[in-house]
Protein backbone atom coordinates (compact mmCIF):
# COMPACT_ATOMS: atom_id res chain seq x y z
CA UNK A 1 0.00 0.00 0.00
CA UNK A 2 1.14 3.54 -0.76
CA UNK A 3 -0.27 6.54 1.10
CA UNK A 4 -0.22 10.27 0.63
CA UNK A 5 -0.42 12.64 3.60
CA UNK A 6 -4.20 12.82 3.57
CA UNK A 7 -4.61 9.03 3.48
CA UNK A 8 -2.14 8.63 6.35
CA UNK A 9 -4.25 11.00 8.44
CA UNK A 10 -7.44 9.26 7.39
CA UNK A 11 -6.20 5.89 8.61
CA UNK A 12 -5.25 7.44 11.95
CA UNK A 13 -8.73 8.96 12.20
CA UNK A 14 -10.30 5.63 11.26
CA UNK A 15 -8.37 3.94 14.08
CA UNK A 16 -9.45 6.57 16.59
CA UNK A 17 -13.14 6.44 15.67
CA UNK A 18 -13.03 2.63 15.60
CA UNK A 19 -11.92 2.48 19.21
CA UNK A 20 -8.18 2.01 18.76
CA UNK A 21 -6.40 4.83 20.63
CA UNK A 22 -3.64 6.58 18.72
CA UNK A 23 -1.43 6.07 21.79
CA UNK A 24 -1.63 2.31 21.06
CA UNK A 25 -0.57 2.83 17.45
CA UNK A 26 2.36 4.94 18.64
CA UNK A 27 3.35 2.20 21.06
CA UNK A 28 3.24 -0.42 18.31
CA UNK A 29 5.25 1.70 15.89
CA UNK A 30 7.94 2.66 18.38
CA UNK A 31 8.28 -0.84 19.83
CA UNK A 32 8.68 -2.43 16.39
CA UNK A 33 11.34 0.09 15.35
CA UNK A 34 13.19 -0.33 18.64
CA UNK A 35 13.29 -4.07 18.00
CA UNK A 36 14.79 -3.48 14.55
CA UNK A 37 17.52 -1.29 16.06
CA UNK A 38 18.27 -3.79 18.83
CA UNK A 39 18.77 -6.47 16.18
CA UNK A 40 21.36 -4.36 14.36
CA UNK A 41 23.35 -2.62 17.09
CA UNK A 42 25.24 -3.35 20.30
CA UNK A 43 24.44 -1.86 23.70
CA UNK A 44 27.86 -0.23 23.79
CA UNK A 45 27.10 1.98 20.79
CA UNK A 46 26.03 5.58 21.38
CA UNK A 47 22.52 6.32 20.14
CA UNK A 48 21.02 9.78 19.64
CA UNK A 49 17.29 10.26 19.09
CA UNK A 50 16.13 13.58 17.63
CA UNK A 51 12.50 14.22 18.64
CA UNK A 52 10.10 16.81 17.28
CA UNK A 53 7.05 18.28 18.98
CA UNK A 54 4.42 16.14 17.19
CA UNK A 55 3.47 12.49 16.82
CA UNK A 56 6.69 11.64 15.00
CA UNK A 57 8.54 12.85 18.09
CA UNK A 58 6.23 10.71 20.22
CA UNK A 59 7.38 7.65 18.25
CA UNK A 60 10.92 8.68 19.14
CA UNK A 61 10.14 8.69 22.86
CA UNK A 62 8.72 5.17 22.65
CA UNK A 63 11.82 3.99 20.80
CA UNK A 64 14.12 5.64 23.32
CA UNK A 65 12.22 4.12 26.24
CA UNK A 66 12.42 0.62 24.79
CA UNK A 67 16.13 0.96 24.08
CA UNK A 68 17.08 2.41 27.45
CA UNK A 69 14.95 -0.20 29.20
CA UNK A 70 17.14 -2.88 27.62
CA UNK A 71 20.38 -1.19 28.62
CA UNK A 72 21.27 0.76 25.46
CA UNK A 73 23.21 4.02 25.69
CA UNK A 74 20.60 6.57 24.57
CA UNK A 75 20.58 10.36 24.40
CA UNK A 76 17.41 12.22 23.42
CA UNK A 77 17.52 15.72 21.97
CA UNK A 78 14.42 17.89 21.37
CA UNK A 79 15.72 20.85 19.32
CA UNK A 80 12.27 22.45 18.94
CA UNK A 81 11.32 22.20 22.60
CA UNK A 82 8.83 20.08 24.53
CA UNK A 83 6.44 17.75 22.73
CA UNK A 84 3.02 19.36 22.18
CA UNK A 85 1.11 16.35 20.84
CA UNK A 86 -1.72 15.13 23.10
CA UNK A 87 -1.17 11.62 21.77
CA UNK A 88 2.53 11.72 22.66
CA UNK A 89 2.35 13.12 26.18
CA UNK A 90 1.66 9.80 27.90
CA UNK A 91 4.68 8.26 26.16
CA UNK A 92 6.88 11.25 27.01
CA UNK A 93 6.10 10.84 30.71
CA UNK A 94 6.48 7.06 30.57
CA UNK A 95 9.88 7.37 28.85
CA UNK A 96 11.05 9.84 31.50
CA UNK A 97 10.01 7.35 34.19
CA UNK A 98 12.46 4.88 32.64
CA UNK A 99 15.26 7.43 32.91
CA UNK A 100 15.21 8.88 29.40
CA UNK A 101 16.24 12.51 29.69
CA UNK A 102 16.60 15.32 27.20
CA UNK A 103 20.20 16.41 26.66
CA UNK A 104 22.30 18.41 24.23
CA UNK A 105 24.23 16.22 21.76
CA UNK A 106 27.88 15.81 22.62
CA UNK A 107 30.62 14.07 20.67
CA UNK A 108 30.29 11.40 18.01
CA UNK A 109 27.36 8.97 17.87
CA UNK A 110 27.14 5.53 16.31
CA UNK A 111 23.42 5.71 15.62
CA UNK A 112 21.10 8.68 15.04
CA UNK A 113 17.32 8.28 14.84
CA UNK A 114 15.37 11.05 13.11
CA UNK A 115 11.91 11.52 14.69
CA UNK A 116 11.58 15.25 14.05
CA UNK A 117 8.76 15.62 11.50
CA UNK A 118 7.73 12.52 9.54
CA UNK A 119 4.69 13.24 7.35
CA UNK A 120 4.12 16.50 9.25
CA UNK A 121 6.80 18.52 7.49
CA UNK A 122 5.75 21.67 5.69
CA UNK A 123 8.27 23.79 3.71
CA UNK A 124 6.90 26.80 5.59
CA UNK A 125 8.36 25.28 8.75
CA UNK A 126 11.91 25.46 7.42
CA UNK A 127 14.03 27.41 9.91
CA UNK A 128 17.59 27.79 11.09
CA UNK A 129 17.15 25.30 13.92
CA UNK A 130 16.10 22.56 11.51
CA UNK A 131 18.83 23.47 9.02
CA UNK A 132 21.36 23.16 11.85
CA UNK A 133 20.02 19.67 12.66
CA UNK A 134 20.43 18.63 9.03
CA UNK A 135 24.03 19.86 9.01
CA UNK A 136 24.75 18.13 12.32
CA UNK A 137 23.34 14.79 11.12
CA UNK A 138 25.21 15.10 7.83
CA UNK A 139 28.51 15.63 9.64
CA UNK A 140 27.81 12.71 11.99
CA UNK A 141 27.05 10.54 8.95
CA UNK A 142 30.37 11.52 7.36
CA UNK A 143 32.07 10.40 10.56
CA UNK A 144 30.42 6.97 10.37
CA UNK A 145 27.06 7.30 12.17
CA UNK A 146 24.21 5.13 10.95
CA UNK A 147 21.10 7.25 10.30
CA UNK A 148 17.54 5.98 10.74
CA UNK A 149 14.31 7.89 10.04
CA UNK A 150 10.80 7.29 11.32
CA UNK A 151 8.16 7.15 8.56
CA UNK A 152 9.62 9.92 6.32
CA UNK A 153 13.07 11.54 6.62
CA UNK A 154 12.52 14.98 8.11
CA UNK A 155 12.44 17.73 5.49
CA UNK A 156 11.31 15.33 2.75
CA UNK A 157 7.77 15.99 1.45
CA UNK A 158 5.41 13.02 1.56
CA UNK A 159 3.45 13.41 -1.66
CA UNK A 160 5.55 15.24 -4.27
CA UNK A 161 8.88 17.05 -4.66
CA UNK A 162 7.55 20.21 -6.29
CA UNK A 163 8.80 22.52 -3.52
CA UNK A 164 11.63 20.32 -2.28
CA UNK A 165 14.85 22.30 -1.65
CA UNK A 166 16.86 19.20 -0.60
CA UNK A 167 17.45 20.47 2.93
CA UNK A 168 16.56 17.27 4.74
CA UNK A 169 17.86 14.37 6.79
CA UNK A 170 19.50 11.79 4.52
CA UNK A 171 18.78 8.42 6.12
CA UNK A 172 20.46 5.08 5.63
CA UNK A 173 17.22 3.31 6.55
CA UNK A 174 13.67 4.66 6.83
CA UNK A 175 11.03 2.75 8.79
CA UNK A 176 7.77 3.62 7.01
CA UNK A 177 4.75 3.17 9.25
CA UNK A 178 1.90 1.01 7.99
CA UNK A 179 2.40 1.87 4.32
CA UNK A 180 4.93 3.30 1.91
CA UNK A 181 4.80 7.01 1.10
CA UNK A 182 4.72 8.44 -2.43
CA UNK A 183 7.99 10.35 -2.20
CA UNK A 184 10.00 7.14 -1.74
CA UNK A 185 9.40 6.57 -5.47
CA UNK A 186 10.40 10.03 -6.73
CA UNK A 187 13.77 10.73 -8.32
CA UNK A 188 14.80 13.65 -6.10
CA UNK A 189 13.41 12.40 -2.79
CA UNK A 190 14.09 8.66 -2.94
CA UNK A 191 17.83 8.96 -2.10
CA UNK A 192 16.96 10.55 1.26
CA UNK A 193 15.09 7.41 2.35
CA UNK A 194 18.02 5.05 1.94
CA UNK A 195 16.72 1.51 2.40
CA UNK A 196 13.01 1.44 3.10
CA UNK A 197 11.27 -0.94 5.49
CA UNK A 198 7.54 -0.99 6.17
CA UNK A 199 6.44 -1.42 9.79
CA UNK A 200 3.10 -3.20 10.29
CA UNK A 201 1.18 -1.50 13.11
CA UNK A 202 -1.94 -3.64 12.83
CA UNK A 203 -4.23 -1.47 10.73
CA UNK A 204 -6.33 -2.50 7.71
CA UNK A 205 -5.04 -1.42 4.34
CA UNK A 206 -6.97 0.84 2.03
CA UNK A 207 -5.92 3.47 -0.44
CA UNK A 208 -5.76 4.42 -4.08
CA UNK A 209 -2.21 3.33 -4.90
CA UNK A 210 -0.63 -0.06 -4.32
CA UNK A 211 2.70 -1.73 -4.83
CA UNK A 212 2.59 -4.07 -7.81
CA UNK A 213 1.35 -7.61 -7.11
CA UNK A 214 4.41 -9.77 -6.59
CA UNK A 215 2.62 -12.98 -7.56
CA UNK A 216 2.79 -13.33 -11.33
CA UNK A 217 1.97 -17.04 -11.47
CA UNK A 218 -1.46 -16.34 -13.01
CA UNK A 219 0.28 -15.06 -16.12
CA UNK A 220 1.94 -18.46 -16.62
CA UNK A 221 -1.24 -20.50 -16.30
CA UNK A 222 -2.01 -22.64 -19.33
CA UNK A 223 -5.11 -24.75 -19.88
CA UNK A 224 -4.30 -28.44 -20.49
CA UNK A 225 -6.83 -28.55 -23.32
CA UNK A 226 -6.21 -25.06 -24.65
CA UNK A 227 -5.16 -24.17 -28.18
CA UNK A 228 -3.55 -21.11 -29.72
CA UNK A 229 -6.90 -19.40 -30.02
CA UNK A 230 -7.34 -19.76 -26.24
CA UNK A 231 -4.56 -17.26 -25.63
CA UNK A 232 -5.69 -14.45 -27.85
CA UNK A 233 -4.49 -12.83 -31.05
CA UNK A 234 -2.42 -9.67 -30.85
CA UNK A 235 -1.59 -7.20 -33.59
CA UNK A 236 1.57 -5.09 -33.34
CA UNK A 237 2.01 -2.12 -35.65
CA UNK A 238 5.45 -0.56 -35.79
CA UNK A 239 8.86 -0.31 -37.35
CA UNK A 240 10.16 1.75 -40.24
CA UNK A 241 12.98 1.58 -42.75
CA UNK A 242 15.21 3.61 -40.40
CA UNK A 243 14.04 1.95 -37.14
CA UNK A 244 13.33 -1.72 -37.82
CA UNK A 245 14.69 -3.03 -34.51
CA UNK A 246 12.02 -1.75 -32.13
CA UNK A 247 9.17 -3.79 -33.59
CA UNK A 248 11.40 -6.86 -33.65
CA UNK A 249 12.01 -6.49 -29.90
CA UNK A 250 8.30 -5.98 -29.24
CA UNK A 251 7.50 -9.04 -31.34
CA UNK A 252 9.91 -11.30 -29.48
CA UNK A 253 8.69 -10.01 -26.11
CA UNK A 254 5.04 -10.61 -27.03
CA UNK A 255 5.78 -14.16 -28.11
CA UNK A 256 7.79 -14.87 -24.96
CA UNK A 257 4.89 -13.78 -22.78
CA UNK A 258 2.42 -16.30 -24.10
CA UNK A 259 0.14 -14.78 -26.75
CA UNK A 260 -1.47 -17.50 -28.86
CA UNK A 261 -1.20 -15.80 -32.26
CA UNK A 262 0.72 -12.70 -33.23
CA UNK A 263 0.31 -10.56 -36.32
CA UNK A 264 2.86 -7.84 -37.06
CA UNK A 265 2.22 -4.96 -39.46
CA UNK A 266 5.59 -3.58 -40.45
CA UNK A 267 7.83 -2.48 -43.31
CA UNK A 268 9.68 -4.69 -45.75
CA UNK A 269 13.03 -4.27 -44.02
CA UNK A 270 11.67 -5.12 -40.58
CA UNK A 271 9.76 -8.11 -41.99
CA UNK A 272 13.02 -9.83 -42.90
CA UNK A 273 14.33 -9.45 -39.34
CA UNK A 274 11.12 -10.83 -37.83
CA UNK A 275 11.10 -13.81 -40.21
CA UNK A 276 14.61 -14.68 -39.02
CA UNK A 277 14.37 -13.78 -35.31
CA UNK A 278 10.70 -14.56 -34.63
CA UNK A 279 9.39 -17.02 -37.22
CA UNK A 280 6.43 -17.80 -34.95
CA UNK A 281 4.90 -14.40 -35.80
CA UNK A 282 2.88 -13.65 -38.93
CA UNK A 283 3.68 -10.49 -40.86
CA UNK A 284 1.36 -8.27 -42.88
CA UNK A 285 1.80 -5.09 -44.85
CA UNK A 286 1.93 -1.86 -42.88
CA UNK A 287 -1.06 -0.34 -44.65
CA UNK A 288 -4.46 0.75 -43.42
CA UNK A 289 -6.40 -1.79 -45.57
CA UNK A 290 -4.28 -4.66 -44.21
CA UNK A 291 -4.71 -3.43 -40.64
CA UNK A 292 -8.46 -3.00 -41.02
CA UNK A 293 -8.78 -6.49 -42.47
CA UNK A 294 -7.10 -7.97 -39.39
CA UNK A 295 -9.06 -6.09 -36.73
CA UNK A 296 -12.13 -8.41 -36.53
CA UNK A 297 -9.90 -11.32 -35.49
CA UNK A 298 -7.75 -9.34 -33.01
CA UNK A 299 -8.17 -9.38 -29.21
CA UNK A 300 -5.69 -6.53 -28.59
CA UNK A 301 -3.61 -4.18 -30.73
CA UNK A 302 -0.49 -2.18 -29.98
CA UNK A 303 0.89 0.59 -32.17
CA UNK A 304 3.86 2.95 -32.09
CA UNK A 305 7.42 1.61 -31.70
CA UNK A 306 9.70 2.67 -34.52
CA UNK A 307 6.96 4.18 -36.66
CA UNK A 308 7.54 7.26 -38.74
CA UNK A 309 5.01 10.05 -38.20
CA UNK A 310 3.43 9.62 -41.63
CA UNK A 311 -0.16 8.32 -41.41
CA UNK A 312 0.20 7.34 -37.75
CA UNK A 313 -2.62 9.56 -36.49
CA UNK A 314 -4.95 8.23 -39.19
CA UNK A 315 -4.18 4.66 -38.17
CA UNK A 316 -4.70 5.50 -34.49
CA UNK A 317 -8.08 7.07 -35.29
CA UNK A 318 -9.22 3.90 -37.04
CA UNK A 319 -8.03 1.70 -34.19
CA UNK A 320 -9.85 3.82 -31.61
CA UNK A 321 -13.07 3.50 -33.63
CA UNK A 322 -12.92 -0.28 -33.08
CA UNK A 323 -13.97 -2.17 -29.95
CA UNK A 324 -10.52 -3.72 -29.49
CA UNK A 325 -8.22 -2.85 -26.54
CA UNK A 326 -5.50 -0.51 -27.84
CA UNK A 327 -1.97 0.16 -26.55
CA UNK A 328 -0.46 3.45 -27.77
CA UNK A 329 3.30 3.92 -27.56
CA UNK A 330 6.06 6.15 -28.96
CA UNK A 331 5.01 7.69 -32.30
CA UNK A 332 1.36 6.75 -31.65
CA UNK A 333 1.15 9.10 -28.64
CA UNK A 334 -0.33 11.82 -30.80
CA UNK A 335 -3.85 12.35 -29.49
CA UNK A 336 -4.88 15.39 -27.46
CA UNK A 337 -8.16 13.68 -26.54
CA UNK A 338 -9.64 10.20 -26.84
CA UNK A 339 -13.09 9.00 -27.93
CA UNK A 340 -15.50 7.33 -25.53
CA UNK A 341 -15.34 3.58 -26.01
CA UNK A 342 -15.99 0.42 -24.01
CA UNK A 343 -12.63 -1.21 -24.74
CA UNK A 344 -9.64 0.16 -22.79
CA UNK A 345 -7.03 2.58 -24.10
CA UNK A 346 -3.54 2.22 -22.65
CA UNK A 347 -0.89 4.91 -23.22
CA UNK A 348 2.72 4.00 -22.41
CA UNK A 349 4.89 7.15 -22.45
CA UNK A 350 8.30 7.63 -20.93
CA UNK A 351 8.85 10.83 -18.94
CA UNK A 352 9.89 12.93 -21.93
CA UNK A 353 6.91 11.83 -24.01
CA UNK A 354 4.54 12.46 -21.11
CA UNK A 355 5.95 15.94 -20.64
CA UNK A 356 5.19 16.63 -24.31
CA UNK A 357 1.68 15.16 -24.00
CA UNK A 358 0.89 17.39 -21.01
CA UNK A 359 2.80 20.51 -22.11
CA UNK A 360 4.94 20.45 -18.99
CA UNK A 361 8.61 20.11 -18.15
CA UNK A 362 10.30 16.80 -17.44
CA UNK A 363 11.20 18.01 -13.94
CA UNK A 364 7.59 18.87 -13.09
CA UNK A 365 6.53 15.36 -14.14
CA UNK A 366 9.31 13.67 -12.17
CA UNK A 367 8.50 15.69 -9.06
CA UNK A 368 4.85 14.63 -9.05
CA UNK A 369 4.60 11.26 -10.78
CA UNK A 370 1.49 10.15 -8.92
CA UNK A 371 -0.46 13.36 -9.30
CA UNK A 372 0.42 13.85 -12.95
CA UNK A 373 -0.33 10.27 -14.00
CA UNK A 374 -3.59 10.21 -12.03
CA UNK A 375 -4.79 13.54 -13.40
CA UNK A 376 -4.17 12.48 -17.01
CA UNK A 377 -5.79 9.07 -16.57
CA UNK A 378 -8.93 10.54 -15.00
CA UNK A 379 -9.20 13.49 -17.40
CA UNK A 380 -8.87 11.36 -20.54
CA UNK A 381 -10.32 8.08 -19.16
CA UNK A 382 -7.31 6.06 -20.24
CA UNK A 383 -4.86 3.83 -18.41
CA UNK A 384 -1.42 5.45 -18.14
CA UNK A 385 1.72 3.32 -18.01
CA UNK A 386 4.30 5.97 -17.10
CA UNK A 387 7.89 4.77 -17.51
CA UNK A 388 10.55 6.29 -15.27
CA UNK A 389 13.04 4.66 -12.87
CA UNK A 390 9.79 3.12 -11.59
CA UNK A 391 6.70 2.23 -13.62
CA UNK A 392 3.37 3.74 -12.63
CA UNK A 393 0.11 2.28 -13.88
CA UNK A 394 -2.62 4.88 -13.30
CA UNK A 395 -6.27 3.84 -13.59
CA UNK A 396 -8.96 6.00 -15.19
CA UNK A 397 -10.98 5.86 -11.95
CA UNK A 398 -8.03 6.97 -9.78
CA UNK A 399 -5.15 5.15 -8.09
CA UNK A 400 -3.09 2.37 -9.57
CA UNK A 401 0.07 0.34 -9.12
CA UNK A 402 3.79 1.07 -8.77
CA UNK A 403 6.47 -1.30 -10.03
CA UNK A 404 9.93 -0.68 -8.61
CA UNK A 405 13.23 -2.50 -8.33
CA UNK A 406 13.94 -3.06 -12.03
CA UNK A 407 17.56 -3.14 -13.11
CA UNK A 408 19.16 0.21 -13.90
CA UNK A 409 20.37 -1.50 -17.06
CA UNK A 410 16.93 -0.93 -18.55
CA UNK A 411 17.82 2.74 -18.98
CA UNK A 412 18.72 2.28 -22.65
CA UNK A 413 17.10 1.92 -26.04
CA UNK A 414 14.82 -1.05 -26.62
CA UNK A 415 13.55 -1.44 -23.07
CA UNK A 416 10.30 0.42 -23.72
CA UNK A 417 9.69 -1.60 -26.89
CA UNK A 418 10.09 -4.78 -24.88
CA UNK A 419 7.58 -3.67 -22.24
CA UNK A 420 5.18 -2.58 -24.99
CA UNK A 421 5.28 -6.09 -26.49
CA UNK A 422 4.73 -7.72 -23.09
CA UNK A 423 1.74 -5.55 -22.22
CA UNK A 424 0.06 -5.97 -25.62
CA UNK A 425 0.54 -9.73 -25.40
CA UNK A 426 -1.01 -9.92 -21.93
CA UNK A 427 -3.88 -7.64 -22.92
CA UNK A 428 -4.66 -9.98 -25.82
CA UNK A 429 -4.73 -12.94 -23.44
CA UNK A 430 -6.75 -11.12 -20.74
CA UNK A 431 -8.83 -8.48 -22.57
CA UNK A 432 -11.42 -8.19 -19.78
CA UNK A 433 -11.40 -8.14 -15.99
CA UNK A 434 -8.94 -6.15 -13.92
CA UNK A 435 -6.91 -4.74 -16.81
CA UNK A 436 -4.62 -2.60 -14.64
CA UNK A 437 -3.76 -5.49 -12.36
CA UNK A 438 -2.82 -7.63 -15.37
CA UNK A 439 -0.66 -4.82 -16.74
CA UNK A 440 0.99 -4.39 -13.33
CA UNK A 441 1.77 -8.08 -13.12
CA UNK A 442 3.25 -7.91 -16.62
CA UNK A 443 5.46 -4.97 -15.68
CA UNK A 444 6.51 -6.83 -12.53
CA UNK A 445 7.40 -9.85 -14.67
CA UNK A 446 9.52 -7.59 -16.87
CA UNK A 447 11.23 -5.95 -13.87
CA UNK A 448 11.93 -9.29 -12.24
CA UNK A 449 13.46 -10.66 -15.44
CA UNK A 450 15.79 -7.66 -15.58
CA UNK A 451 16.93 -8.28 -11.99
CA UNK A 452 17.69 -11.89 -12.79
CA UNK A 453 19.79 -10.91 -15.79
CA UNK A 454 21.70 -8.54 -13.49
CA UNK A 455 22.90 -11.56 -11.51
CA UNK A 456 24.95 -12.58 -14.53
CA UNK A 457 25.66 -9.29 -16.29
CA UNK A 458 26.66 -5.84 -15.13
CA UNK A 459 23.76 -3.40 -15.64
CA UNK A 460 25.83 -1.48 -18.20
CA UNK A 461 25.96 -4.61 -20.36
CA UNK A 462 22.29 -5.58 -20.01
CA UNK A 463 20.31 -5.49 -23.27
CA UNK A 464 16.61 -5.66 -23.99
CA UNK A 465 17.21 -8.96 -25.77
CA UNK A 466 18.71 -10.37 -22.55
CA UNK A 467 15.52 -9.49 -20.67
CA UNK A 468 13.34 -11.06 -23.37
CA UNK A 469 15.25 -14.33 -23.16
CA UNK A 470 15.00 -14.25 -19.35
CA UNK A 471 11.20 -13.88 -19.30
CA UNK A 472 10.66 -17.63 -19.45
CA UNK A 473 13.10 -18.23 -16.58
CA UNK A 474 11.58 -15.84 -14.05
CA UNK A 475 11.41 -17.36 -10.59
CA UNK A 476 7.82 -17.57 -9.40
Amino acid sequence: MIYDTQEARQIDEWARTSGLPLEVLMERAGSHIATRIKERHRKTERILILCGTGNNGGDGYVIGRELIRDGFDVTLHAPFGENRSDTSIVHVHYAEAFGLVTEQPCGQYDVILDALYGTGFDPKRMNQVFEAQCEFVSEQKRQGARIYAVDVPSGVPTDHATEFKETAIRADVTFQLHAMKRSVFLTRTAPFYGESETIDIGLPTFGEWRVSPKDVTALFKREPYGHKGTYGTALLIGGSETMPGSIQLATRAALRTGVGKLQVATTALAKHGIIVQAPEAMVIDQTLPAIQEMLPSISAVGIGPGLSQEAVETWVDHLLESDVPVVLDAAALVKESYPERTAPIIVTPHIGEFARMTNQSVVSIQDDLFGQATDYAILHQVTVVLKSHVILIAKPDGGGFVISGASSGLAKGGSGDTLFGILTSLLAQHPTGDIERTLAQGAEWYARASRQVERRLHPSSLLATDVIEELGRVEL
Side-chain angles (χ1 to χ4, degrees):
M1 190 63 64
I2 303 163
Y3 283 170
D4 61 15
T5 303
Q6 182 179 359
E7 288 168 331
R9 290 171 180 164
Q10 286 174 341
I11 192 66
D12 282 349
E13 181 62 18
W14 178 91
R16 187 187 66 78
T17 57
S18 299
L20 180 61
L22 297 184
E23 292 84 355
V24 174
L25 292 180
M26 191 172 287
E27 174 71 21
R28 289 178 178 174
S31 296
H32 282 310
I33 293 174
T35 298
R36 296 283 205 282
I37 293 174
K38 292 173 191 176
E39 292 169 349
R40 302 175 186 200
H41 296 280
R42 303 183 303 275
K43 295 180 180 181
T44 55
E45 294 180 274
R46 298 188 72 208
I47 299 175
L48 173 65
I49 301 178
L50 300 175
C51 284
T53 59
N55 288 346
N56 198 250
D59 295 330
Y61 277 93
V62 176
I63 296 164
R65 183 201 76 211
E66 287 296 289
L67 291 175
I68 205 167
R69 183 174 67 88
D70 283 356
F72 282 79
D73 180 5
V74 180
T75 295
L76 187 142
H77 179 48
F80 309 133
E82 295 182 359
N83 194 288
R84 296 189 291 270
S85 161
D86 293 338
T87 303
S88 303
I89 294 301
V90 62
H91 290 299
V92 172
H93 294 326
Y94 196 30
E96 290 172 346
F98 273 86
L100 186 64
V101 296
T102 302
E103 302 176 17
Q104 287 291 327
C106 178
Q108 177 65 33
Y109 292 90
D110 301 294
V111 176
I112 296 179
L113 182 84
D114 162 30
L116 291 171
Y117 283 121
T119 60
F121 182 76
D122 184 326
K124 298 183 182 66
R125 303 174 73 176
M126 185 67 69
N127 54 59
Q128 291 182 343
V129 175
F130 177 62
E131 291 176 354
Q133 295 305 305
C134 293
E135 292 176 7
F136 169 76
V137 172
S138 180
E139 179 58 31
Q140 290 277 321
K141 183 180 176 73
R142 282 193 289 269
Q143 297 300 321
R146 183 81 166 161
I147 313 300
Y148 295 94
V150 178
D151 210 14
V152 178
S154 294
V156 173
T158 304
D159 304 337
H160 55 76
T162 303
E163 300 178 359
F164 185 44
K165 304 301 183 184
E166 302 193 16
T167 299
I169 302 294
R170 188 180 288 266
D172 295 301
V173 178
T174 299
F175 299 111
Q176 297 191 69
L177 303 181
H178 182 56
M180 304 182 85
K181 308 305 182 293
R182 290 186 176 187
S183 57
V184 76
F185 298 104
L186 304 181
T187 304
R188 291 206 295 129
T189 48
F192 288 82
Y193 280 83
E195 298 175 24
S196 184
E197 296 185 20
T198 304
I199 301 295
D200 181 5
I201 56 177
L203 291 173
T205 55
F206 62 82
E208 295 292 328
W209 282 91
R210 298 174 180 270
V211 176
S212 171
K214 299 302 179 186
D215 183 7
V216 298
T217 54
L219 303 182
F220 288 83
K221 185 178 179 181
R222 309 291 279 188
E223 298 294 336
Y225 305 108
H227 52 82
K228 62 185 179 181
T230 305
Y231 302 104
T233 301
L235 169 63
L236 299 179
I237 306 170
S240 62
E241 294 303 302
T242 57
M243 292 185 288
S246 54
I247 194 63
Q248 295 175 36
L249 291 170
T251 298
R252 294 177 60 185
L255 291 169
R256 281 290 182 194
T257 42
V259 67
K261 294 186 286 184
L262 181 63
Q263 298 276 358
V264 184
T266 192
T267 61
L269 180 61
K271 280 182 182 180
H272 293 299
I274 289 172
I275 291 170
V276 173
Q277 296 188 36
E280 299 86 353
M282 296 166 278
V283 292
I284 64 173
D285 292 335
Q286 196 184 80
T287 63
L288 184 57
I291 292 168
Q292 289 176 313
E293 183 180 348
M294 286 301 309
L295 279 179
S297 63
I298 295 300
S299 46
V301 58
I303 178 171
L307 282 178
S308 62
Q309 291 296 330
E310 297 176 10
V312 170
E313 189 161 5
T314 300
W315 295 349
V316 170
D317 287 338
H318 280 277
L319 294 177
L320 294 180
E321 289 172 1
S322 73
D323 58 357
V324 176
V326 175
V327 182
L328 304 176
D329 185 59
L333 297 168
V334 294
K335 304 300 291 181
E336 294 184 359
S337 62
Y338 305 86
E340 291 187 15
R341 65 200 305 266
T342 56
I345 301 171
I346 295 91
V347 297
T348 62
H350 57 59
I351 292 292
E353 291 167 334
F354 196 63
R356 173 181 55 77
M357 292 163 63
T358 57
N359 294 313
Q360 297 187 68
S361 69
V362 168
V363 171
S364 66
I365 301 296
Q366 289 178 322
D367 281 352
D368 189 18
L369 289 178
F370 292 85
Q372 297 282 359
T374 298
D375 288 348
Y376 191 92
I378 293 174
L379 175 64
H380 295 286
Q381 286 299 287
V382 299
T383 297
V384 177
V385 180
L386 182 55
K387 299 174 290 189
S388 181
H389 67 290
V390 295
I391 300 171
L392 268 65
I393 298 178
K395 303 192 294 185
D397 59 353
F401 296 92
V402 179
I403 297 88
S404 62
S407 170
S408 61
L410 292 175
K412 62 181 63 168
S415 298
D417 306 318
T418 300
L419 180 60
F420 163 82
I422 292 171
L423 298 184
T424 307
S425 168
L426 294 177
L427 197 60
Q429 296 172 67
H430 310 280
T432 60
D434 192 337
I435 296 296
E436 287 79 20
R437 185 177 181 86
T438 297
L439 297 175
Q441 288 177 306
E444 174 66 27
W445 186 0
Y446 163 77
R448 195 177 302 181
S450 74
R451 292 196 299 270
Q452 287 187 190
V453 173
E454 199 176 86
R455 297 175 188 173
R456 305 189 308 272
L457 297 174
H458 190 279
S460 296
S461 298
L462 183 148
L463 300 176
T465 49
D466 299 320
V467 177
I468 293 169
E469 294 305 312
E470 194 70 20
L471 288 168
R473 306 186 186 99
V474 164
E475 298 172 3
L476 302 179

